[in-house]
């Protein structure tokens, strides 16, 4: 039986920032330095003050001792075993030693000095130590106040300096995320990297390296895109002639195979040309108002296979009909070709969902999106259909996502840009009464009835 390791305390997310860590580090170091310097100053001044008071007390004790031995009057603040004399100091004097001690007497700090007297008694004097105590207390308060001010000022200056660094780091991270999302024009453009005579710090070195990497990557991708477009353009003319020549061949099985391969090559070439235009971002949309459900149903019907079509709610969208049909055609064609029946297409407002009941999308496709010329297992194809669908969806301003259903099957969801207020005038009669009405779209037109239920 495995035992779970106890987790440590969870801290708020903001505590993971470099600014917070730097502030804690600066605070701890300032407090430690202030405590060390304060202790050194306190000990030094205390020793000096106590030493001066001790010298006065011992000097007074010598005078009192001389008077005591001469039988004269001892004077104020002196006596034999006076009241308030600390017991430890009295014991030291009775043992024949001289000593001093600071103690409170009548609620006032007092420096006591004591020495031996006859009869096992102690001769002692007291010196007022209030001024010395007030000096030390004032020094301690000054040390504490100056330490707080120094820590606050250091924190402000340190926070300003660290924030400048972290702001540059955040900018570098944002640019890196933009590049990872495909924006190869994003650059940090740190000023320190633009001036060769200026020394670069570590953040500027990272920013410069990121900009250099992005420029290199962008150059390589542009070169590959130009190569793909050039190859596709060069292949187009000979393939057109090859297609015309194939049409002149006599009927037969070999002729069918040649025509089939030529058609496949022409389709691949056209797909490559379309991808090159998408990569160059040269596509222009021709927007117009279209009812979404009839448009999606025509695409499902033209697939040549039985596809369940469901309308939950129909809307009018501003879109490019040709590009939208291209996107939906690729999604339905991919589901029919690589998935398993039933293939279901549903329209719910501006959202079109295409689902099959096959093995689902590969993990890399769900996580990173479709990749050209990459397929899983024994799947036939070039990986261009979904790539084109994703590119054309971006041109339309739509969002295309890929996922796998919990009970199996691939799910592609296309969410079109939609203005609810703009469609209010055309909503009358656009709803299907009584809920969802599934239909099966085939090559002979949409069929009514069939199994009920949504996609």
């Amino acid at each position: 039986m495995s035992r779970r390791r106890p987790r440590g305390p969870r801290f708020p997310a903001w505590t993971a920032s470099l600014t917070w860590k730097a502030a804690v580090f600066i605070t701890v170091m300032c407090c430690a330095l202030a405590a060390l310097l304060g202790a050194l100053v306190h000990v030094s001044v205390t020793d000096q003050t106590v030493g001066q008071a001790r010298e006065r007390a011992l000097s007074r004790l010598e005078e009192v001792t001389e008077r005591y031995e001469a039988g004269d009057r001892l004077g104020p603040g002196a006596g034999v075993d006076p009241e308030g004399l600390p017991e430890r100091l009295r014991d030291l004097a009775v043992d024949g030693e001289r000593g001093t001690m600071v103690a409170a007497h009548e609620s006032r700090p007092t420096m006591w000095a004591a020495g031996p007297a006859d009869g096992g008694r102690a001769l002692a004097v007291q010196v007022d130590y209030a001024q010395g105590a007030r000096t030390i207390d004032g020094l301690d308060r000054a040390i504490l106040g100056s330490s707080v001010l120094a820590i606050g000022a250091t924190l402000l200056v340190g926070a300003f300096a660290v924030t400048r660094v972290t702001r540059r780091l955040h900018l570098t991270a944002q640019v890196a995320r933009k590049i990872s999302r495909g924006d190869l024009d994003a650059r940090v453009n740190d000023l320190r990297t633009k001036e060769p005579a200026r020394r670069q710090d570590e953040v500027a070195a990272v920013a410069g390296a990121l900009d250099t990497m992005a420029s290199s990557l962008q150059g390589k991708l542009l070169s590959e895109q130009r190569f793909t477009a050039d190859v596709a353009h060069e292949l187009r003319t000979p393939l057109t002639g090859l297609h015309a020549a194939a049409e002149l061949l006599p009927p037969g099985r070999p002729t069918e195979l040649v025509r089939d391969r030529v058609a496949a090559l022409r389709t691949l070439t056209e797909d490559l040309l379309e991808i090159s235009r998408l990569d160059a971002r040269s596509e222009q949309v021709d927007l117009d108002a279209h009812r979404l459900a009839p448009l999606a149903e025509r695409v499902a019907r033209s697939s040549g296979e039985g596809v369940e079509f469901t309308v939950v709610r129909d809307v009018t969208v501003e879109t490019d009909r040709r590009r939208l049909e291209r996107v939906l055609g690729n999604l339905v064609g991919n589901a029919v070709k690589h998935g398993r029946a039933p293939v279901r297409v549903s329209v719910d407002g501006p959202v079109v969902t295409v689902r099959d009941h096959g093995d689902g999308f590969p993990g890399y496709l769900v996580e990173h999106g479709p990749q050209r010329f990459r397929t899983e297992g024994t799947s036939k194809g070039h990986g261009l259909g979904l790539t084109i669908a994703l590119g054309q969806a971006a041109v339309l301003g739509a969002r295309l996502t890929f996922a796998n259903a919990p009970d199996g099957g691939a799910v592609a969801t296309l969410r079109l840009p939609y203005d609810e207020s703009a469609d209010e005038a055309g909503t009358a009669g656009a709803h299907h009464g009584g809920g969802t009405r599934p239909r099966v779209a085939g090559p002979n037109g949409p069929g009514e009835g069939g199994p009920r239920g949504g996609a």
Side-chain angles (χ1 to χ4, degrees):
M1 181 178 179
S2 61
R3 298 178 61 184
R4 297 180 62 183
R5 295 182 178 178
R7 293 183 177 179
R10 286 192 174 183
F11 297 97
W14 58 267
T15 59
S17 66
L18 183 60
T19 303
W20 184 84
K21 293 178 180 178
V24 171
F25 175 76
I26 293 173
T27 302
V28 172
M29 294 303 297
C30 287
C31 290
L33 183 60
L36 178 61
L37 293 178
L40 291 176
V41 173
H42 173 83
V43 170
S44 176
V45 174
T46 300
D47 288 345
Q48 183 179 1
T49 305
V50 172
Q52 293 174 353
R54 181 181 292 113
E55 290 178 0
R56 292 197 305 269
L58 290 175
S59 177
R60 177 80 187 283
L61 179 62
E62 289 180 359
E63 296 177 1
V64 170
T65 301
E66 291 176 358
R67 291 180 181 181
Y68 177 76
E69 291 175 350
D72 295 337
R73 185 179 176 182
L74 299 181
V80 178
D81 289 339
E83 182 182 356
L85 179 64
E87 190 66 27
R88 291 174 56 191
L89 185 58
R90 183 183 182 283
D91 294 340
L92 181 65
V94 170
D95 291 338
E97 300 289 340
R98 286 187 175 186
T100 59
M101 179 179 289
V102 177
H105 179 60
E106 296 179 355
S107 302
R108 293 177 63 84
T110 302
M111 173 65 75
W112 290 91
D118 56 353
R121 296 179 299 173
L123 180 63
V125 297
Q126 52 181 315
V127 176
D128 187 17
Y129 188 66
Q131 182 63 36
R134 286 193 296 270
T135 300
I136 295 176
D137 291 340
L139 176 65
D140 290 342
R141 288 192 295 270
I143 291 175
L144 180 60
S146 61
S147 298
V148 172
L149 290 177
I151 291 172
T154 306
L155 270 177
L156 290 177
V157 175
F160 175 74
V162 173
T163 301
R164 291 189 63 186
V165 175
T166 55
R167 188 183 298 115
R168 294 166 59 199
L169 288 174
H170 284 309
L171 176 60
T172 304
Q174 290 176 0
V175 171
R177 283 191 288 268
K178 289 181 180 179
I179 294 173
S180 67
R181 290 194 295 265
D183 184 7
L184 298 181
D185 293 325
R187 297 291 186 274
V188 180
N189 290 326
D190 195 305
L191 295 178
R192 291 166 179 79
T193 62
K194 304 299 182 181
E195 302 176 8
R198 190 173 182 179
R199 291 188 176 183
Q200 297 183 8
D201 57 8
E202 288 77 2
V203 180
V206 173
L210 180 63
D211 287 349
T212 302
M213 180 198 70
S215 298
S216 177
L217 180 61
Q218 185 179 37
K220 291 181 179 179
L221 288 178
L222 290 177
S223 177
E224 292 180 1
Q225 292 170 6
R226 285 194 297 269
F227 175 76
T228 302
D230 293 342
V231 169
H233 279 290
E234 293 297 327
L235 287 177
R236 199 175 197 179
T237 301
L239 281 175
T240 302
L242 186 60
H243 177 74
E247 294 296 328
L248 300 177
L249 293 176
R253 180 59 180 168
T255 300
E256 294 178 2
L257 293 176
V258 171
R259 291 175 179 174
D260 179 69
R261 293 300 87 197
V262 170
L265 282 174
R266 290 190 66 185
T267 301
L268 176 59
T269 302
E270 294 298 330
D271 288 346
L272 289 175
L273 285 173
E274 186 170 358
I275 287 179
S276 66
R277 290 193 297 269
L278 291 173
D279 289 338
R281 300 177 183 178
S282 59
E283 299 283 57
Q284 299 293 330
V285 293
D286 182 15
L287 297 179
D288 199 359
H290 298 281
R291 300 300 293 181
L292 184 56
L295 191 150
E297 187 174 5
R298 282 193 297 272
V299 173
R301 182 173 67 247
S302 63
S303 65
E305 300 286 343
V307 177
E308 295 183 9
F309 181 77
T310 305
V311 179
V312 178
R313 180 170 65 97
D314 190 15
V315 294
T316 300
V317 293
E318 289 284 336
T319 188
D320 188 323
R321 174 177 174 177
R322 181 185 65 82
R323 298 183 189 280
L324 180 57
E325 289 179 345
R326 175 67 160 155
V327 174
L328 295 179
N330 283 11
L331 295 179
V332 175
N334 182 81
V336 171
K337 184 176 181 180
H338 300 291
R340 287 193 294 269
V343 175
R344 293 172 178 165
V345 179
S346 66
V347 175
D348 185 2
V351 180
V352 182
T353 303
V354 179
R355 179 189 173 175
D356 62 61
H357 290 75
D359 297 329
F361 289 121
Y364 78 88
L365 192 148
V366 175
E367 184 175 359
H368 302 291
Q371 300 177 20
R372 60 194 70 174
F373 296 108
R374 177 175 179 180
T375 56
E376 289 291 317
T378 58
S379 298
K380 294 182 179 180
H382 306 285
L384 300 181
L386 295 182
T387 302
I388 293 174
L390 187 64
Q392 293 289 9
V395 172
L396 293 174
R399 182 185 178 191
L400 178 59
T401 58
F402 303 93
N404 290 322
D407 55 345
V411 181
T413 304
L414 179 67
R415 184 178 298 274
L416 293 165
Y418 174 64
D419 185 2
E420 188 77 33
S421 60
D423 190 43
E424 288 180 355
T427 54
H431 298 281
H432 293 267
T436 300
R437 297 182 60 192
R439 291 173 284 180
V440 178
N444 296 324
E448 297 294 338
R452 307 187 68 84

